[in-house]
Amino acid sequence: MQKPLPIMTKSSTAVRTRFAPSPTGYLHLGGARTALFSWAYARHHQGVFILRIEDTDLERSTPEAVQAILDGMAWLNMTPDEGPFYQMQRMDRYREVVAQMLEQGTAYYCYSSREEIEAMREKARTLGLKPRYDGTWRPEPGKTLPAIPADRQPVVRFRNPIDGVTTWNDMVKGPISFDNTELDDLIIARPDGTPTYNFCVVIDDWDMKITHVLRGDDHVNNTPRQINILRALGADLPEYGHLPMILGPDGEKLSKRHGAVSVIDYDTQGYLPEAMINYLARLGWSHGNDELFTREQLVEWFDTRNLSKSAAQWDPKKLNWVNAHYIKSMDNSDLASRVAPRILAQGGNPQAADLAAIMGLLKDRAETLNQLADGAMLFCAPWAPADSDLLAEHMDEQAVTLLADFATQAAELADWNTDALDGVIKSVLAKHTVKMPKLAIPLRLAVTGQKQTPAIATVLAILGRDLVLQRLQAA
Ligand code: GLU
């Protein structure tokens, strides 16, 4: 799946954003929201949205997790313009830059052993200082470095500025500063030569000409280190925006305890990707009081100024409300095509009746596609006669007479539709001076096998003349 990086001219000023997940699990809701904001920002500026898979943690990265990310992005219809790029396929490039930095003196070999590093940390701790590398191997003008120990593979450290502050104007949080004394000389390559996490991110953002980085605020501490490395490379700095996390309804960090956290699980549960996008966008972003908007509106309105500084809260009830809205406003046949596979999965036949008409009947009261599928099973499930207890209770002599009369009148209908069938029901009730349940319950039992259904005339209209008369005959 390797794709060459596009050749870009240095002068290009187009907005370029990226979503850079580590494939260590499913695509969780927080990740999907980060992706959405990066995507919307790029789209708003007619820029480029890039997908980069940060798979250098070999122990925790899996091909399944990569697939879960790709599936989740595809489900939400957030197609990257470039990528996916895989960091594991860019190792040569990272090594090349490490070599350049060693040559330029912005990085250096460090031969301190694990024990020595531990001792430095311990010493800092006893002095009440932040545990950090003491600079033993850091080259300085006029300084003589220790003799290189035999048989020890060095790490490569970045020569971080030792004074001053690193500051950026965060697109979400505003100005943020770190004293450079707080930042260690970061290891950028391990003894075996493999590059470390922050280094790969920097080289990728540089090579991919990223102009705007939107990511979770768990990365705030990485940003000054990344900025310093970019500066050492003479690279342009992207703008950074750090998104506060998403909390569960109980105010705790969103996790499995709060239900599904993988976006694709929401597909399984019957949520529409359109609704999910709308809902996710409101987690930490706003446009006035607008709660419902299309994807196009999101793109048109998306602005980092309206990103929230405080944590967003996951609200399953609101998600259901948004989903119900999208279901209600969706065209019946479109809805039918999305529900059909769910009916099949339940062992039903989506072609058994006019599925679009069934959607029309059910959609005003459904919150999920799965509820629609459940409701449609009344029409699509293999025929199962009513429970014998129910039949014994409701199919008395009078019921049989009413059904026979209903069948006779219905058979004569010129047009088989809800209004006409309602007319027949009324006429039978009037003729026998009985109330609705006396006819409706036996009718439901005879025709659907169930005691409760949506409006019976509509149900009969959808089931169709042949089937209804045939079942009435059998009853
Ligand atoms: N790979 C990182 C993560 O999944 C994101 C890195 C970044 O956006 O800079 O948390």
Side-chain angles (χ1 to χ4, degrees):
M1 263 215 250
Q2 180 152 24
K3 289 189 191 166
L5 281 178
I7 311 289
M8 294 275 303
T9 55
K10 263 269 183 214
S11 63
S12 172
T13 52
V15 164
R16 294 171 63 83
T17 66
R18 81 321 191 262
F19 174 49
S22 304
T24 54
Y26 35 70
L27 174 58
H28 56 83
L29 295 165
R33 184 194 59 167
T34 304
L36 176 62
F37 289 171
S38 300
W39 173 87
Y41 192 74
R43 285 286 170 279
H44 177 84
H45 292 280
Q46 278 119 37
V48 174
F49 172 60
I50 294 165
L51 176 60
R52 174 168 91 219
I53 306 289
E54 304 205 319
D55 55 354
T56 56
D57 184 341
L58 294 179
E59 257 155 47
R60 297 177 59 224
S61 302
T62 64
E64 293 75 26
V66 171
Q67 197 52 50
I69 291 165
L70 300 178
D71 291 347
M73 303 276 291
W75 181 58
L76 292 172
N77 196 9
M78 286 192 284
T79 323
D81 304 299
E82 292 176 15
F85 299 113
Y86 295 83
Q87 289 189 323
M88 281 309 289
Q89 297 176 359
R90 290 181 34 80
M91 286 295 148
D92 291 348
R93 171 62 181 153
Y94 307 135
R95 283 178 219 261
E96 178 183 71
V97 182
V98 169
Q100 266 170 27
M101 291 176 73
L102 283 167
E103 191 159 319
Q104 289 161 357
T106 51
Y108 61 92
Y109 286 118
C110 163
Y111 293 87
S112 298
S113 67
R114 217 176 270 273
E115 296 73 40
E116 285 164 349
I117 299 282
E118 200 30 63
M120 285 173 207
R121 293 209 170 120
E122 198 44 52
K123 193 171 151 202
R125 259 192 293 267
T126 53
L127 294 172
L129 300 171
K130 248 184 121 163
R132 65 199 305 269
Y133 177 64
D134 70 359
T136 303
W137 291 91
R138 180 176 166 120
E140 302 289 358
K143 171 176 166 187
T144 315
L145 294 176
I148 294 178
D151 303 332
R152 194 179 295 157
Q153 286 302 312
V155 298
V156 178
R157 286 187 186 269
F158 171 58
R159 201 164 177 282
N160 196 71
I162 38 173
D163 48 22
V165 282
T166 299
T167 302
W168 75 97
N169 193 7
D170 197 272
M171 289 185 280
V172 181
K173 294 176 185 282
I176 300 183
S177 293
F178 280 81
D179 278 332
N180 283 329
T181 49
E182 275 183 44
L183 311 171
D184 238 344
D185 278 0
L186 192 78
I187 296 177
I188 59 172
R190 301 184 185 90
D192 65 1
T194 56
T196 55
Y197 168 75
N198 273 294
F199 186 72
C200 300
V201 171
V202 164
I203 304 314
D204 287 349
D205 285 343
W206 182 34
D207 284 354
M208 296 171 192
K209 310 264 183 305
I210 302 303
T211 59
H212 296 80
V213 171
L214 282 169
R215 61 185 172 199
D217 65 4
D218 47 334
H219 289 282
V220 165
N221 287 326
N222 289 327
T223 304
R225 305 168 205 280
Q226 296 182 3
I227 287 178
N228 284 336
I229 301 176
L230 284 165
R231 288 209 169 112
L233 290 165
D236 291 339
L237 298 183
E239 304 237 16
Y240 293 93
H242 291 90
L243 303 161
M245 61 177 153
I246 303 176
L247 303 177
D250 54 1
E252 300 288 325
K253 187 176 188 308
L254 191 64
S255 72
K256 273 215 175 96
R257 276 182 307 116
H258 300 108
V261 277
S262 155
V263 277
I264 217 74
D265 284 350
Y266 286 87
D267 179 22
T268 315
Q269 291 178 10
Y271 291 87
L272 288 162
E274 295 88 338
M276 203 67 194
I277 290 273
N278 187 150
Y279 178 74
L280 280 176
R282 285 287 293 109
L283 285 175
W285 174 82
S286 58
H287 179 266
N289 291 326
D290 292 313
E291 291 295 353
L292 299 167
F293 38 81
T294 63
R295 217 178 159 81
E296 290 71 31
Q297 284 170 317
L298 168 63
V299 167
E300 189 188 324
W301 297 337
F302 192 81
D303 186 337
T304 52
R305 269 175 298 184
N306 297 327
L307 287 171
S308 169
K309 286 189 187 5
S310 46
Q313 201 151 19
W314 184 256
D315 178 354
K317 281 208 193 88
K318 186 170 160 196
L319 172 62
N320 283 354
W321 174 76
V322 174
N323 205 48
H325 162 80
Y326 277 83
I327 285 178
K328 222 176 289 172
S329 11
M330 191 171 268
D331 175 68
N332 290 345
S333 48
D334 193 3
L335 213 42
S337 66
R338 307 220 198 183
V339 172
R342 293 167 202 267
I343 294 172
L344 269 178
Q346 287 195 41
N349 172 13
Q351 265 123 38
D354 181 351
L355 195 54
I358 298 170
M359 296 297 107
L361 172 67
L362 302 176
K363 72 178 181 181
D364 283 347
R365 272 181 297 164
E367 286 185 329
T368 65
L369 297 179
N370 289 7
Q371 288 173 4
L372 285 174
D374 292 346
M377 287 302 278
L378 180 68
F379 305 92
C380 304
W383 168 248
D387 191 274
S388 55
D389 287 351
L390 276 177
L391 288 175
E393 190 185 340
H394 297 282
M395 282 295 181
D396 52 15
E397 215 169 300
Q398 185 190 32
V400 174
T401 313
L402 295 172
L403 288 184
D405 207 0
F406 178 87
T408 313
Q409 291 193 37
E412 284 161 14
L413 285 177
D415 289 320
W416 186 269
N417 59 37
T418 303
D419 285 348
L421 287 158
D422 258 332
V424 175
I425 291 172
K426 286 207 184 85
S427 142
V428 173
L429 295 180
K431 183 168 154 199
H432 297 268
T433 52
V434 289
K435 292 234 157 55
M436 185 65 166
K438 279 279 177 222
L439 171 62
I441 295 176
L443 197 50
R444 287 190 166 105
L445 289 175
V447 174
T448 70
Q450 294 183 27
K451 194 178 162 190
Q452 275 161 357
T453 71
I456 185 64
T458 312
V459 170
L460 299 176
I462 293 172
L463 282 171
R465 185 193 301 260
D466 292 350
L467 197 65
V468 169
L469 294 180
Q470 182 195 319
R471 287 184 187 168
L472 282 175
Q473 187 71 42

